[in-house]
Structure formats: C-alpha cells, structure tokens
Amino acid sequence: MTGSADGTDDPAIPDVVGVAGGGRMGVGIAHAFLLAGASVIVLERDDEAASQARVGLLRAARASIDRGATPETFDALEARMSFTASADPLAGTGLVIEAVPEDLVLKLEVLARVEAVLPGDAWLASNTSSLSIDDIAATLDRPDRFCGLHFFNPVPASSLVEIVRGARSAPSLIEAARGWVAAIGKTPIVVKDSPGFASSRLGVVLALEAIRMLEEGVASADDIDTAMVLGYKFPVGPLHLTDLVGLDVRLGIADYLESTLGERFAAPALLREKVAEGKLGRKSGEGFFTWPE
C-alpha cells in the first residue's frame, strides 16, 4: 500500500493503480488516484493516444498545484505517472479501472487484455455507466475480483462514485472499493447490478423528459434547466448536464435501457437528430447549448 500526498500512510490505496483508457474520464480517474498518493499507469490503444493522455494528465496535475489542491511538486507528481500502449506494465498494479468508451465489445476486449497480465491478487473494475457488470464478469477468468466503479464527469469536481456489486463480486472487493473511494475524497454508494444502476437510470429519465419538453416547445433549454436548478436545487439542469456528459453517451445509455427496461427509455427524435449532426455537447462545441472553446 502507499502513502498519501500529505505523507501519512493510507492503506486504502493500492501502491499502483492502472487506468485502461486515457480519455477525459480515464485521465480524471488517474488524476484522482495520483493526488491520493498512488502511482498511476494509463493504458491506451497506441503510442499517439498514450501521448495525448500524458498531456491531459500533466495539465491536470499542473492545475491542481496552481489551485493549491496538493502540496506535492509538479516533478513529484510527474514521476508517479506513466503511459503505455502495452498491457504488460499493468502486471505491477493492485487495481486496474477500465475507462474506455461505452461499447460492450470494446470493453470486453480491453478487460480481457488487462486481466491476462494482472497478478492473481489484483482487482479489476469497469467505469461503465450502464452496461451489466454480471454480463461482463461472465467473460472474465476471475469474476470475483471484478466490480463496477462508476465515476462521474468531470471527475475532479464530482463527489460521487457508484460501486456496482456483481452477483459474483467478492464482499472483500466491495469493502475495499469503499475505502478507495473515500481515500480519493469522494463518497461511495453501493448498488447491485441492474440496468442503469441507480444514477444513470434516474439521470436518463430526467434528461429524456427534458429533451421531450424542449422538442414539444414547452419551454426553452435555459428555462427548463432553471426550473430544476432553482425549483429543485439541482446544481445544473438536465440539459446542461447532458451536454457535459455527451449527447452520444446519453443516447447509448437510453438505447441500452430501452432494450432492457422498456419503452419508457425510448430516446426522443431530437436527441437522435443532434447526435447524427455531430452536436454532442461540450466536447463538440454545441449540443443543447453552445460551448466556446
């Protein structure tokens, strides 16, 4: 186990944490564990993507120093991060979190590749926001050492991590996961494997209804969001949040939930149209709102 950034021993955090996927979510997860004192290894599909992940994590580390979020120096943080296109370095990790896009085939490929090099006492998790943990676990050699760890975007600003307990997840894994989440300064909730878990299932219901209201001309996007922010004390409105999450991500989750839970999760035509037009939210510059670069 490792020491935390303030120099105290923190037995909850593995010495080395791997993150498979170096996009926005993966970099955010790696950043959280880095600030908690772990060394992190980010696995990407090729050298170019690994280099891009490095730029993102270095930028996040610098921002943390500038805002006083860590007492560590930039050099100290940089020394504890590494980036690879080969899974082999993950053989030295205690925990690997898969954070690739929400595509079941891709996730299964990446998890199989990672599990093949992990030591027998390492833990494995997926950052999936809706896919079945049990279905994924059925493809693994050690399903008892696998669970869901659903982080939220943006990771640094989010205080929640949803721990998804599969039917074969070891109780000791779930308790360890509670410790990891607390040690990185976030709050864990534990849910059993179920379509959409707790957060995505509830969040998508609200988002889809807000999109239908916009589609029907009930109110503007600003006014719909303001109703929830001021009327129900939401930190941001459902349309703003959909732009942050990504309209394509919302659509993928809605389609999955419709296939498993029924027509109440059917995506509105407006959502499909915007995704088809490439209006994916903040990452593309436009979704339900316009996002300046």
Side-chain angles (χ1 to χ4, degrees):
M1 300 303 169
T2 193
S4 63
D6 62 6
T8 60
D9 289 334
D10 189 345
I13 300 288
D15 287 325
V16 186
V17 175
V19 179
R24 184 179 185 88
M25 288 300 298
V27 164
I29 294 167
H31 178 234
F33 280 95
L34 183 71
L35 292 190
S39 295
V40 296
I41 302 173
V42 179
L43 171 67
E44 258 294 357
R45 63 184 180 275
D46 53 37
D47 291 338
E48 180 180 356
S51 179
Q52 292 174 350
R54 181 177 187 275
V55 170
L57 188 52
L58 288 172
R59 185 186 298 119
R62 175 63 70 187
S64 294
I65 293 168
D66 290 346
R67 68 173 180 267
T70 176
E72 292 196 87
T73 66
F74 182 80
D75 287 346
L77 291 175
E78 185 177 16
R80 295 207 317 278
M81 60 175 81
S82 60
F83 305 84
T84 179
S86 167
D88 292 344
L90 298 178
T93 59
L95 165 68
V96 176
I97 302 167
E98 168 272 309
V100 301
E102 198 76 346
D103 178 291
L104 179 60
V105 172
L106 176 60
K107 286 184 180 292
L108 294 181
E109 290 175 353
V110 170
L111 286 164
R113 181 181 171 200
V114 170
E115 189 186 36
V117 302
L118 286 185
D121 60 350
W123 302 109
L124 184 60
S126 173
N127 183 52
T128 180
S129 56
S130 64
L131 298 175
S132 170
I133 292 300
D134 286 340
D135 287 352
I136 296 173
T139 71
L140 299 175
D141 292 332
R142 298 188 293 275
D144 58 312
R145 304 195 72 80
F146 174 72
C147 71
L149 282 180
H150 178 203
F151 288 77
F152 291 79
N153 186 24
V155 176
S158 175
S159 58
L160 176 68
V161 177
E162 190 172 36
I163 300 170
V164 186
R165 182 184 68 243
R168 299 176 67 181
S169 300
S172 58
L173 167 57
I174 303 307
E175 287 309 305
R178 287 181 185 272
W180 303 330
V181 173
I184 62 175
K186 302 187 185 299
T187 299
I189 63 169
V190 178
V191 301
K192 76 171 186 177
D193 185 36
S194 177
F197 316 136
S199 59
S200 293
R201 186 165 171 174
L202 291 170
V204 168
V205 166
L206 185 62
L208 295 180
E209 192 59 31
I211 297 167
R212 291 188 191 98
M213 291 170 63
L214 183 63
E215 191 175 53
E216 294 166 7
V218 172
S220 69
D222 275 324
D223 286 351
I224 291 169
D225 275 7
T226 299
M228 301 310 296
V229 171
L230 298 184
Y232 288 86
K233 307 304 181 185
F234 280 38
V236 297
L239 297 173
H240 182 104
L241 183 58
T242 297
D243 271 13
L244 294 179
V245 170
L247 276 67
D248 53 336
V249 175
R250 281 286 199 224
L251 179 58
I253 295 172
D255 284 345
Y256 173 72
L257 293 180
E258 182 185 12
S259 72
T260 54
L261 295 176
E263 292 184 3
R264 67 187 186 276
F265 287 96
L270 178 60
L271 177 58
R272 294 194 184 280
E273 290 168 5
K274 284 187 173 290
V275 171
E277 293 168 356
K279 297 176 180 179
L280 307 181
R282 180 171 65 177
K283 61 187 173 185
S284 70
E286 182 180 355
F288 295 109
F289 301 94
T290 300
W291 296 84
E293 293 185 5

